[in-house]
Amino acid sequence: MQIIHTVSEMQAFARSVRASGQTLGCVPTMGALHAGHASLVREAAAHHEHVVTSVFVNPTQFGPNEDFSRYPRTLDSDIDVVRAHGGTVVFAPPVDEMYPSGTTTMIHVGGVTAPYEGALRPGHFDGVATIVCKLLQAILPDEAYFGQKDYQQTLVIKQLVHDLLLPVRVTVCPTVREADGLAMSSRNIYLSAEDRQRASTIYRALRTGQALAHTGETRRVAYEQLMRDDISTLHDVTIDYLEAARAADLSTPDAFEHGEEIVLLAAVRMGTTRLIDNLLACVGGETA
Ligand code: AMP
């Protein structure tokens, strides 16, 4: 396995892969890799001779009061995870490789960035869209893999790739969970023992929303009321949002259509840790 730190070396590698008739998958990450990231690497390795996993804690997607400086940085063990799951390259550039002129040029995706994470974390999706675009230019993959865990982010990236005519396939992989249902996240290590235990309530609340969809409930407000029931009993927990929206574009009609695909979205703060999660459901039917 190779470790690459510069964009020019990364692009040269990608060109050599293509010249030899092979294909390249990529998995963009911020490191502190866990089984969720590993599942993306495995999926990419199942479809491509080469898999580049990028490890880059992207400063521009963190707000001024967010956890950029304390975000876990564990490159040595990340390299071991990538190797163990069939990755062939770790691309770990320093900040000035990815931002040679600072933030002079940034990308703004409209539409789907407006609600939820976009509303609560101003500038976050500009940072995400910009770094994903840069990573795609550096890695030059045939296919890029992302987790459903960050559902709104997957919509932003699909929009980015569509609108900037980027020649890459975007594939979204299922959320990997702990045994009690908590979505794996590099931020779970911040949770106190008590909060770690309570954190699975988020998943249970989303499951009640999913079950409600399967009963055919169309009124959007009914989802919020039901899902909040579980979590609002917990002390010292702040719900940023816990709602149902249209899966296609996150729009929020008063009533969904029967047969419509919806997404149940959660962002909850426990102590100093902010957790997000989601589940898809079909109103009046089983989710595909
Ligand atoms: P991050 O390092 O948190 O930026 O995540 C890198 C990629 O891994 C993103 O596409 C995430 O959606 C994905 N990811 C993070 N957690 C999980 C998980 N529990 N299951 C599947 N994919 C995940």
Side-chain angles (χ1 to χ4, degrees):
M1 208 184 59
Q2 288 191 49
I3 319 296
I4 296 178
H5 296 286
T6 66
V7 171
S8 59
E9 208 187 325
M10 187 64 249
Q11 289 169 334
F13 177 88
R15 287 194 196 99
S16 74
V17 168
R18 194 117 335 110
S20 67
Q22 296 182 322
T23 63
L24 190 61
C26 93
V27 180
T29 82
M30 297 206 300
L33 301 186
H34 51 64
H37 300 114
S39 74
L40 300 180
V41 175
R42 277 199 309 277
E43 184 65 16
H47 294 94
H48 301 279
E49 286 89 357
H50 287 278
V51 177
V52 177
T53 304
S54 58
V55 173
F56 181 70
V57 185
N58 174 35
T60 65
Q61 71 188 72
F62 289 79
N65 298 314
E66 294 184 0
D67 55 347
F68 174 68
S69 54
R70 72 163 179 160
Y71 198 86
R73 288 160 169 88
T74 58
L75 184 60
D76 289 345
S77 63
D78 292 345
I79 290 168
D80 292 342
V81 172
V82 171
R83 186 186 288 115
H85 293 275
T88 48
V89 174
V90 169
F91 176 49
V95 171
D96 57 2
E97 273 291 308
M98 298 312 293
Y99 289 96
S101 317
T103 53
T104 308
T105 303
M106 296 289 289
I107 293 174
H108 176 74
V109 174
V112 78
T113 53
Y116 303 112
E117 294 303 290
L120 290 159
R121 304 179 67 190
H124 170 67
F125 284 128
D126 291 355
V128 169
T130 302
I131 195 58
V132 169
C133 190
K134 285 167 178 272
L135 288 169
L136 294 175
Q137 296 303 319
I139 300 169
L140 301 171
D142 297 280
E143 188 165 6
Y145 293 79
F146 298 90
Q148 189 196 314
K149 158 81 168 47
D150 299 282
Y151 185 77
Q152 188 174 11
Q153 173 174 283
T154 66
L155 296 184
V156 174
I157 289 163
K158 285 178 184 169
Q159 190 80 55
L160 168 82
V161 165
H162 182 76
D163 290 345
L164 294 187
L165 321 176
L166 302 178
V168 64
R169 240 183 355 267
V170 172
T171 295
V172 177
C173 299
T175 303
V176 176
R177 300 179 179 281
E178 303 283 358
D180 65 357
L182 175 65
M184 290 197 178
S185 164
S186 307
R187 291 188 166 100
N188 290 351
I189 55 160
Y190 301 152
L191 291 167
S192 67
E194 189 199 353
D195 284 343
R196 169 62 193 86
Q197 266 209 315
R198 307 185 313 161
S200 60
T201 316
I202 301 168
Y203 176 64
R204 286 202 299 279
L206 292 172
R207 292 280 296 189
T208 64
Q210 195 178 45
L212 186 63
H214 295 162
T215 70
E217 177 63 73
T218 56
R219 293 165 306 139
R220 208 175 68 81
V221 66
Y223 288 89
E224 184 167 356
Q225 281 164 355
L226 182 72
M227 292 192 294
R228 276 182 180 255
D229 271 359
D230 269 8
I231 292 186
S232 53
T233 58
L234 302 177
H235 63 94
D236 286 340
V237 169
T238 309
I239 298 174
D240 280 350
Y241 54 81
L242 187 55
E243 305 195 349
R246 285 195 176 117
D249 59 6
L250 302 185
S251 60
T252 50
D254 289 343
F256 298 114
E257 304 287 328
H258 200 80
E260 192 164 27
E261 180 99 27
I262 63 171
V263 60
L264 306 154
L265 295 160
V268 170
R269 281 180 281 144
M270 293 188 163
T272 56
T273 310
R274 189 166 179 278
L275 301 173
I276 63 169
D277 197 358
N278 67 85
L279 285 176
L280 291 166
C282 177
V283 176
E286 292 297 317
T287 303

